[in-house]
Amino acid sequence: MEKKLLVEDHIRRNKQLTVVVCTLMALLFIAVIFAVGYIFFPQNLLIPLVFALPIAIFYVLVTYSFSVQTVLSAAKARPANPQIREEKLLIHRVEEMSIAAGLPMPKVYVQDSEYINAFATGKKPEKSVICTTTGALRKLNQEELEGVIAHEMSHIKNHDILIATVTIGVVGAIALIAEILFYSMFWGGAGRGRKSEGNAALMILAILFVILAPIFARLTYLAISRKREYLADSNGAYLTRNPNGLAQALGKIKQDYPTTKPKGSKTIAPLYISNPFKSTSVSSIWSTHPPIDERIKRLRSM
Amino acid sequence: MWIWILFILIIIVVLLILIYVGYYNRIIRMENRIDNSWAQIDVQLRRRAELIPNLMETVKGYMKHEKEVLENVTKARTALMSAKTPQENIDADNMLTGALKTLFAVAENYPDLKANQNFLNLQDELTNTENKIAYSRQHFNDSVLAFNNTIETFPGLWFAKRMGRKTREMLQIPEATKEVPQVKF
């Protein structure tokens, strides 16, 4: 009973935090637009307001509405094929966990990769996607796979997926702007040519801000993502009533060193059940996930 | 002066109405969730019962000497089809789970059967429905627990009484099957 109440409290707090973080991301994005505007047109701040802001808002809306497709194509994922036994069993496990969580059935996708991994994405629990790698299907047994799916289902139930997806979109967009700015300054000298018109110190500050903005966005997200991993682990164990499955799966992920390089874009790393680009167990301020050993320890003690 | 007292009274009345509406909706929603989870269980139980004749058809040719095993499965299926109350349904389903477990264990002795694609498929499907039943049962009990907690604690207690709502029964799971929520994968 206590556990149940706790879970619901967490979900409510998660929803509130999601709104706060998404607002912060939007503000950051608008600030970047202004900074870029200042760099190019230091004499007139109305120009970015008139031109860039509508474009930025349009971009954010487009990113939001296509976020799921963007993530899936970045991961090179394809819909699971029920004709293949492994993938049919994956669909079965997802069906079971959606019943356990009392959620509608998510779409099931598969990513061709040697690595054991999985992620969930989507804008809301009613329209979500769960994706696992083919490596996970081959190397995990059904009990472990069930634990992994339960973890992802908890992310969906806790409303974690929107915030992760939005962060990826904003970080990607800001990084793109920073890159364009960098090259245009390097080759065209668009901003440099007019530097006499603006305040040099403010100009440098604006440039620094644009360059550092993706890092701010990531840090904002990281501040909450690790906690949510622990939460999804424990809620997942609550769904299956079997913490062992996920603990074993994490153990296998830790031992997992395929010969090929992980595929897909690095920007979607925070979505996965374990970071596909790092194999250390050391926690740092940059880790999207808590160390695997600590996660296993917490699951085993349940 | 009078205006102020009237104003405060109106605010209090509006607040009370809002609280009542909130609790009313909450209790109804929780009840619907319980009914919906029962419907889920029911769907899965039917699906499972429908799979059995197929399984029997596939197995018959291979397991000629296991008459008793096959009969137990058929008997459990009949019980499941004629069950009326939720608890009867669950009991019959537990019987079926036991009978199927024996059947799949015995099937290990028949390599030809184990290699049969149809049999393998049915085994996957039956495992799937069995897990779904276990998890919808779990979700049903979770929903009942949340509902009972709401209407047995203050102030939900008071609203539930006014609405004529009583606590719901959880599904009892026999000791023997508690240990195996999932058949071997």
Side-chain angles (χ1 to χ4, degrees):
Chain A
M1 185 182 99
E2 244 177 271
K3 175 101 190 177
K4 184 83 191 166
L5 290 176
L6 254 170
V7 168
E8 268 153 17
D9 286 345
H10 272 303
I11 291 173
R12 196 172 314 125
R13 202 183 314 152
N14 264 7
K15 274 187 186 168
Q16 291 161 353
L17 252 175
T18 303
V19 174
V20 171
V21 171
C22 286
T23 314
L24 276 178
M25 293 285 179
L27 287 178
L28 188 72
F29 191 70
I30 290 168
V32 165
I33 297 286
F34 268 103
V36 171
Y38 180 74
I39 292 163
F40 283 96
F41 308 100
Q43 71 281 50
N44 195 346
L45 270 176
L46 264 177
I47 295 176
L49 197 71
V50 172
F51 289 100
L53 206 58
I55 296 174
I57 290 169
F58 179 73
Y59 180 87
V60 168
L61 287 179
V62 168
T63 316
Y64 177 75
S65 40
F66 289 102
S67 55
V68 176
Q69 289 93 315
T70 311
V71 167
L72 287 177
S73 62
K76 297 187 174 66
R78 59 177 171 81
N81 178 2
Q83 302 301 319
I84 303 168
R85 181 155 185 261
E86 281 172 347
E87 297 181 15
K88 180 188 76 183
L89 291 180
L90 169 67
I91 295 172
H92 283 178
R93 299 291 89 79
V94 176
E95 280 171 0
E96 290 157 20
M97 282 304 110
S98 74
I99 286 176
L103 289 174
M105 174 74 183
K107 289 198 184 103
V108 184
Y109 276 73
V110 172
Q111 178 189 4
D112 288 299
S113 161
E114 286 289 300
Y115 283 80
I116 303 174
N117 232 325
F119 66 84
T121 183
K123 288 186 281 269
K124 50 185 174 188
E126 291 74 29
K127 275 189 176 171
S128 53
V129 173
I130 285 186
C131 176
T132 69
T133 59
T134 43
L137 296 182
R138 217 173 26 255
K139 292 174 196 168
L140 298 180
N141 68 31
Q142 294 300 311
E143 186 190 352
E144 292 156 357
L145 185 63
E146 184 189 64
V148 169
I149 300 301
H151 170 100
E152 298 305 335
M153 200 60 84
S154 302
H155 273 316
I156 295 174
K157 195 170 185 175
N158 297 348
H159 293 256
D160 294 343
I161 48 177
L162 171 67
I163 202 169
T165 309
V166 165
T167 311
I168 287 159
V170 170
V171 170
I174 294 176
L176 190 76
I177 292 174
E179 211 161 293
I180 290 172
L181 180 76
F182 184 75
Y183 281 114
S184 65
M185 272 166 41
F186 208 77
W187 297 109
R192 296 282 97 189
R194 290 178 200 151
K195 80 176 169 197
S196 52
E197 290 164 32
N199 182 330
L202 211 59
M203 181 72 76
I204 289 168
L205 223 67
I207 295 172
L208 261 179
F209 176 71
V210 175
I211 292 168
L212 292 179
I215 300 170
F216 290 150
R218 270 188 87 78
L219 278 179
T220 316
Y221 174 63
L222 290 176
I224 54 166
S225 78
R226 268 167 286 173
K227 218 175 189 172
R228 289 185 177 202
E229 288 305 318
Y230 284 131
L231 190 64
D233 281 352
S234 65
N235 289 359
Y238 182 72
L239 281 186
T240 58
R241 306 285 201 268
N242 174 18
N244 230 11
L246 182 56
Q248 274 176 40
L250 287 173
K252 276 195 185 171
I253 289 172
K254 198 184 147 201
Q255 307 288 332
D256 189 36
Y257 295 112
T259 43
T260 56
K261 281 244 150 61
K263 263 201 279 184
S265 165
K266 206 168 180 168
T267 43
I268 59 169
L271 280 183
Y272 287 93
I273 188 166
S274 80
N275 191 338
F277 297 98
K278 262 181 220 150
S279 51
T280 57
S281 57
V282 188
S283 175
S284 79
I285 190 168
W286 299 109
S287 330
T288 52
H289 290 69
I292 255 178
D293 289 324
E294 181 60 28
R295 288 171 72 185
I296 295 174
K297 208 175 86 192
R298 291 194 187 194
L299 282 167
R300 295 262 187 233
S301 67
M302 271 176 204
Chain B
M1 185 61 196
W2 280 109
I3 295 278
W4 284 108
I5 293 177
L6 196 70
F7 188 64
I8 289 168
L9 273 178
I10 289 175
I11 288 184
I12 290 173
V13 168
V14 167
L15 262 175
L16 282 178
I17 290 174
L18 280 182
I19 292 173
Y20 184 78
V21 168
Y23 261 91
Y24 182 87
N25 287 348
R26 189 168 164 198
I27 288 172
I28 296 289
R29 243 195 315 262
M30 290 179 121
E31 239 177 2
N32 286 345
R33 208 168 83 196
I34 296 174
D35 294 340
N36 184 45
S37 7
W38 173 254
Q40 269 291 353
I41 303 179
D42 209 42
V43 168
Q44 298 310 328
L45 289 173
R46 301 291 136 224
R47 166 113 186 90
R48 197 166 190 213
E50 278 164 20
L51 286 170
I52 301 295
N54 277 334
L55 179 75
M56 287 300 144
E57 206 51 48
T58 311
V59 162
K60 220 166 50 187
Y62 297 92
M63 294 167 101
K64 286 190 184 98
H65 308 294
E66 315 282 357
K67 226 175 167 182
E68 201 189 336
V69 177
L70 300 185
E71 264 171 15
N72 279 340
V73 175
T74 318
K75 228 189 285 170
R77 178 181 181 263
T78 317
L80 182 59
M81 297 294 276
S82 60
K84 283 184 187 71
T85 66
Q87 195 58 51
E88 268 174 39
N89 263 301
I90 293 301
D91 290 343
D93 181 59
N94 284 327
M95 208 162 105
L96 184 58
T97 303
L100 281 176
K101 222 162 83 186
T102 321
L103 188 143
F104 287 130
V106 171
E108 291 292 312
N109 303 330
Y110 296 84
D112 289 350
L113 177 60
K114 264 170 55 188
N116 183 320
Q117 199 57 44
N118 211 5
F119 178 72
L120 205 67
N121 250 330
L122 281 166
Q123 200 171 5
D124 287 344
E125 290 295 322
L126 281 164
T127 308
N128 185 221
T129 50
E130 182 162 337
N131 289 337
K132 280 180 177 173
I133 290 165
Y135 283 122
S136 34
R137 205 155 56 182
Q138 179 181 305
H139 189 247
F140 179 88
N141 280 352
D142 282 352
S143 307
V144 170
L145 180 67
F147 176 74
N148 289 352
N149 282 343
T150 303
I151 70 165
E152 277 183 322
T153 52
F154 193 77
L157 179 73
W158 190 74
F159 292 108
K161 214 173 232 167
R162 290 204 59 122
M163 290 165 69
R165 292 304 195 278
K166 292 206 175 69
T167 54
R168 300 281 193 105
E169 286 272 317
M170 285 205 221
L171 291 172
Q172 301 298 321
I173 303 157
E175 282 301 321
T177 56
K178 235 181 229 169
E179 284 302 303
V180 276
Q182 310 129 8
V183 163
K184 59 180 167 131
F185 283 118

